[in-house]
Amino acid sequence: MNDLLIDKMGLISDISNNNHIEETNDNIDCPPNENPVDKSELLRSPRRVSFADSLGYDLESIRIMSEGIDTPPKLLNCNVSNSSNSKQPSLRPLFAQPITDYNDYLRRLSSDCVCLESLDINEKAMRGLVKVRNIDYTKSVKIRYTADNWRSCEELECYYLNPAFGAAKTSIYDTFHFQLSIDDRWSSFEFCISYKCKGEQFWDNNNGDNYRLDRSSLQQSK
């Protein structure tokens, strides 16, 4: 059976009619009791080169590092580039990203058991991350929102976000996420977050102000 040599570029070389050979500092090592192989003959041998993935090998390996609660989570990109190719958000938040004040963020998690972590907005949709205190396995996390100053409102379920590979199986906090399409008719938008667990209900209403967004602040900034 032909031996396969894998080089640093992720390519596999199949050297026919020769035993396994390792080359170091231009010298060819041979198994005991066998005659040395002429290096010039080896170089003249036909070679077949193919990609590693065609034979079931990985071209790369990926390692995901998880973040601890003592490390501020990464902000979703809510800032809008000045590039003409960038897509402008249709609504602009009237609040700072909660994790920009990380000490207050942790305080709110400790006292209220739920807190918006970050919100990302583009011209079509918004998506957010919500952190909750891990009180019990069974949880229900929703955002309650309105686009007409609470004359009517709706609720949207948030979904559990699996922790990164290698993270601890037990954690003080769990992360949920949500995504909502933006209606072009909305001139303003407001939401808060509900967290139900073990018969109790907790709220994150941004210290009584709710999380508010509108178009007027976007128009004034242009």
Side-chain angles (χ1 to χ4, degrees), residues 6-24:
I6 305 177
D7 62 18
K8 295 182 179 178
M9 296 297 294
L11 299 176
I12 299 177
S13 300
D14 183 0
I15 302 177
S16 304
N17 302 321
N18 288 291
N19 292 325
H20 180 67
I21 299 172
E22 296 182 357
E23 183 176 349
T24 305

Side-chain angles (χ1 to χ4, degrees), residues 123-139:
E123 81 287 357
K124 293 295 184 182
M126 65 180 73
R127 59 189 179 96
L129 296 179
V130 178
K131 192 82 77 177
V132 302
R133 191 170 183 86
N134 189 7
I135 300 173
D136 191 59
Y137 178 79
T138 304
K139 306 174 180 69

Side-chain angles (χ1 to χ4, degrees), residues 114-161:
V114 55
C115 188
L116 177 71
E117 184 173 287
S118 57
L119 185 72
D120 185 31
I121 308 169
N122 60 31
E123 81 287 357
K124 293 295 184 182
M126 65 180 73
R127 59 189 179 96
L129 296 179
V130 178
K131 192 82 77 177
V132 302
R133 191 170 183 86
N134 189 7
I135 300 173
D136 191 59
Y137 178 79
T138 304
K139 306 174 180 69
S140 174
V141 181
K142 298 179 180 180
I143 67 165
R144 181 175 295 180
Y145 66 91
T146 179
D148 57 10
N149 198 26
W150 298 108
R151 289 189 292 272
S152 64
C153 66
E154 297 185 44
E155 289 189 339
L156 176 69
E157 190 80 31
C158 301
Y159 295 95
Y160 176 71
L161 188 65

Side-chain angles (χ1 to χ4, degrees), residues 1-61:
M1 180 180 294
N2 295 332
D3 293 325
L4 300 177
L5 300 180
I6 305 177
D7 62 18
K8 295 182 179 178
M9 296 297 294
L11 299 176
I12 299 177
S13 300
D14 183 0
I15 302 177
S16 304
N17 302 321
N18 288 291
N19 292 325
H20 180 67
I21 299 172
E22 296 182 357
E23 183 176 349
T24 305
N25 298 328
D26 296 330
N27 294 322
I28 300 178
D29 297 329
C30 299
N33 302 322
E34 292 188 15
N35 294 326
V37 177
D38 188 346
K39 182 178 178 180
S40 61
E41 293 182 2
L42 174 63
L43 295 177
R44 290 195 300 269
S45 300
R47 294 168 61 89
R48 186 187 65 190
V49 178
S50 57
F51 288 102
D53 60 344
S54 66
L55 295 179
Y57 294 91
D58 292 331
L59 289 175
E60 61 179 358
S61 61

Side-chain angles (χ1 to χ4, degrees), residues 2 12 17 40 42 44 53 79 84-85 88 92 104 110 114-115 128 132 149 167-168 171 174 177 179 201 205:
N2 295 332
I12 299 177
N17 302 321
S40 61
L42 174 63
R44 290 195 300 269
D53 60 344
N79 296 325
S84 59
N85 294 326
Q88 300 289 329
R92 177 160 293 183
D104 184 63
S110 178
V114 55
C115 188
V132 302
N149 198 26
S171 174
D174 284 337
H177 68 98
Q179 181 165 318
Q201 186 172 24
N205 59 10

Side-chain angles (χ1 to χ4, degrees), residues 48-84:
R48 186 187 65 190
V49 178
S50 57
F51 288 102
D53 60 344
S54 66
L55 295 179
Y57 294 91
D58 292 331
L59 289 175
E60 61 179 358
S61 61
I62 301 174
R63 178 174 295 178
I64 302 175
M65 305 301 294
S66 61
E67 63 185 25
I69 191 60
D70 295 331
T71 304
K74 294 181 179 179
L75 276 167
L76 292 174
N77 183 19
C78 194
N79 296 325
V80 179
S81 171
N82 291 326
S83 170
S84 59

